[in-house]
Amino acid sequence: MVGKIIPVIMAGGKGTRMWPLSRSSAPKQFIQFVGDQTLFQSTLARVADETLYEPAIVITNEDFRFLAAEQARELGLPLTAIMLEPSARNTAPAVAAAAAFVAEKFGDDAILQVLASDHEIEAGKAYFDAIQTARKTAASGKLVTFGITPTEPSTGYGYIEIGDQLSTGANTVKRFVEKPALPEAEKMLTSGGFVWNSGIFMFKAGTVLSELNRFAPAVAEAASAAVAKASGDLDFLRLDEASFSASPNISVDYAIMEKTANAAVVPASFTWSDMGSWDAVWKLGEQDADGNVALGNATLINTKNSLVLSRHGHMAVQGLDGIAVIASEDAVYVGRLDDSQNVGNIVKQLAAAKATAALTETHPTSYRPWGGYTSILNGDRFQVKRLFVTPGKKLSLQKHHHRSEHWICVKGTAEVTIGDTVQTVRENESVYIPQGEVHRLANPGKIMLEMIEVQTGSYLGEDDIIRIVDEFGRG
């Protein structure tokens, strides 16, 4: 009998394609676009069936580790491990590391399902039927990918040409096709026999390691060494930096899938999107009679086939057709929906200029292991932030050399340490922390704590934090 599937969720990324909502410090998988879950949380929820799956393995990096852990905690879902990549080396080294870890923990015959954390998928009967077909095919020794039935001649996806059917219900792979030009995409759609390459895989740990050793031995060697020399850090598994960084930078497709004779594809018709552009959000959103998708505070007049999303203020849009208008707290993007695949070009231009580089890197809202903060207002020698602290969490015991702070409680109950004194601060109450004084903020309650913090002083940078005690192991 085939055992449970071990999900491997890839949760890295640079946050360029969904700017200005996503940034390098907060890529799209951790942002809530539609519904009440982030894309990462939706991915976790799809692999939550305990009869089918083991708890997931999440592969992410130093910057996103607490985001991933907290969003899993919000769903109440346990994880097998959160593996931290010390450097970005593409998907093949990450998959190799996961396979080496799974082989050691569960055995060579354990089946991995590799999923991106930023895909939108309708997980109905068609999806789980495809999962079962892939499971049987992987158990037979194949390296399985999922092929999505095309609904349009998309030039944003790679394609797979389907071969003969196997006894498991999957098919052999004739060939992989790079992202095509429009004429070729139209031809493949008309002729049939082609599916979109979803980037979802399933295979046995031993099988994928064997094929990596054959076709990409440097990847396999680096990843296996990185796992063997990995170290524990709180709830995280840190892959060895020197070993992992020695791996070639290469994708799973290039490393093995396009070379192996054991590739198989499961054609499937479930709704799928890699959420790679604002156009994809519009297609999946709930459209009104004029074809518009409005998310957040927006008024649309004489406007058709457009996406309007506001996270800050009220957007009024008039007389437009086929347009994306996206407003974050500190930036607005306006462009044609059919050109939204190229948002990354704007991000590159912004990143190249000193005056705008920060708009591509940091978001006004920053997440920390205890909650996070939103920057509200910056001025000469002052800064205003909204702090939000998760129930039961506390910030580090710390002090600042160059600033004092005023805290006003607006929601919940705060436990505030100032020097040797610990006091309770309730809603509509405030407290002052003098410059240089040791202090700490904690949330002893059962609801999210929200504080308004006013900083004043000669220097207000985040590096003016001297941590004395920190439960998250930060220096």
Side-chain angles (χ1 to χ4, degrees), residues 170-248:
N171 292 73
T172 60
V173 173
K174 281 189 176 181
R175 63 182 174 118
F176 289 85
V177 182
E178 294 287 341
K179 294 177 181 179
L182 184 58
E184 186 180 1
E186 291 174 336
K187 184 178 179 181
M188 287 189 290
L189 185 66
T190 302
S191 65
F194 290 86
V195 289
W196 288 333
N197 187 354
S198 70
I200 305 170
F201 304 98
M202 199 178 291
F203 29 63
K204 291 195 291 188
T207 302
V208 70
L209 288 172
S210 174
E211 294 298 86
L212 281 163
N213 276 304
R214 180 180 180 188
F215 295 110
V219 173
E221 181 180 354
S224 295
V227 172
K229 299 176 184 178
S231 59
D233 179 2
L234 299 176
D235 295 330
F236 309 109
L237 182 69
R238 291 184 178 275
L239 297 173
D240 180 67
E241 183 173 4
S243 302
F244 193 81
S245 298
S247 172

Side-chain angles (χ1 to χ4, degrees), residues 111-383:
I111 294 175
L112 288 71
Q113 182 184 352
V114 178
L115 311 95
S117 60
D118 56 1
H119 290 181
E120 180 71 25
I121 290 173
E122 184 180 306
K125 184 177 184 301
Y127 174 76
F128 286 105
D129 284 349
I131 293 295
Q132 293 294 0
T133 298
R135 186 186 191 187
K136 289 186 293 183
T137 308
S140 73
K142 297 292 186 181
L143 303 179
V144 184
T145 185
F146 290 70
I148 309 301
T149 303
T151 56
E152 60 180 331
S154 174
T155 59
Y157 302 141
Y159 288 71
I160 299 170
E161 186 173 7
I162 300 170
D164 297 331
Q165 190 170 61
L166 300 168
S167 60
T168 59
N171 292 73
T172 60
V173 173
K174 281 189 176 181
R175 63 182 174 118
F176 289 85
V177 182
E178 294 287 341
K179 294 177 181 179
L182 184 58
E184 186 180 1
E186 291 174 336
K187 184 178 179 181
M188 287 189 290
L189 185 66
T190 302
S191 65
F194 290 86
V195 289
W196 288 333
N197 187 354
S198 70
I200 305 170
F201 304 98
M202 199 178 291
F203 29 63
K204 291 195 291 188
T207 302
V208 70
L209 288 172
S210 174
E211 294 298 86
L212 281 163
N213 276 304
R214 180 180 180 188
F215 295 110
V219 173
E221 181 180 354
S224 295
V227 172
K229 299 176 184 178
S231 59
D233 179 2
L234 299 176
D235 295 330
F236 309 109
L237 182 69
R238 291 184 178 275
L239 297 173
D240 180 67
E241 183 173 4
S243 302
F244 193 81
S245 298
S247 172
N249 188 333
I250 188 170
S251 70
V252 172
D253 282 327
Y254 285 137
I256 52 173
M257 294 303 293
E258 296 183 7
K259 298 174 181 176
T260 181
N262 284 332
V265 58
V266 177
S269 58
F270 56 83
T271 301
W272 167 89
S273 171
D274 74 345
M275 294 295 281
S277 67
W278 290 116
D279 180 54
V281 176
W282 173 73
K283 288 175 181 175
L284 289 172
E286 186 175 341
Q287 299 179 12
D288 64 17
D290 292 317
N292 297 312
V293 175
L295 303 170
N297 300 316
T299 299
L300 282 65
I301 301 173
N302 192 28
T303 294
K304 297 180 179 180
N305 308 313
S306 295
L307 171 67
V308 180
L309 194 162
S310 176
R311 292 288 171 84
H312 183 70
H314 195 100
M315 298 295 296
V317 179
Q318 179 172 315
L320 298 179
D321 189 351
I323 297 295
V325 182
I326 314 298
S328 70
E329 292 97 326
D330 62 343
V332 178
Y333 166 75
V334 181
R336 294 200 56 79
L337 274 173
D338 58 13
D339 194 38
S340 60
Q341 290 272 0
N342 297 315
V343 169
N345 294 332
I346 292 178
V347 175
K348 289 179 182 178
Q349 187 169 335
L350 292 169
K354 185 177 181 180
T356 54
L359 291 173
T360 70
E361 298 167 359
T362 58
H363 198 275
T365 297
S366 296
Y367 294 91
R368 295 293 184 265
W370 44 263
Y373 63 85
T374 299
S375 181
I376 299 173
L377 182 64
N378 291 283
D380 184 25
R381 296 178 64 88
F382 79 91
Q383 184 170 203

Side-chain angles (χ1 to χ4, degrees), residues 13 73 91 185 228 261 280 421 458:
R73 186 202 65 79
T91 55
T421 303
S458 59

Side-chain angles (χ1 to χ4, degrees), residues 41 44-48 50 55 69 71-79:
Q41 288 178 317
L44 284 172
R46 284 199 303 275
V47 296
E50 295 180 359
Q71 291 196 1
R73 186 202 65 79
E74 287 177 358
L75 297 183
L77 295 177
L79 300 173

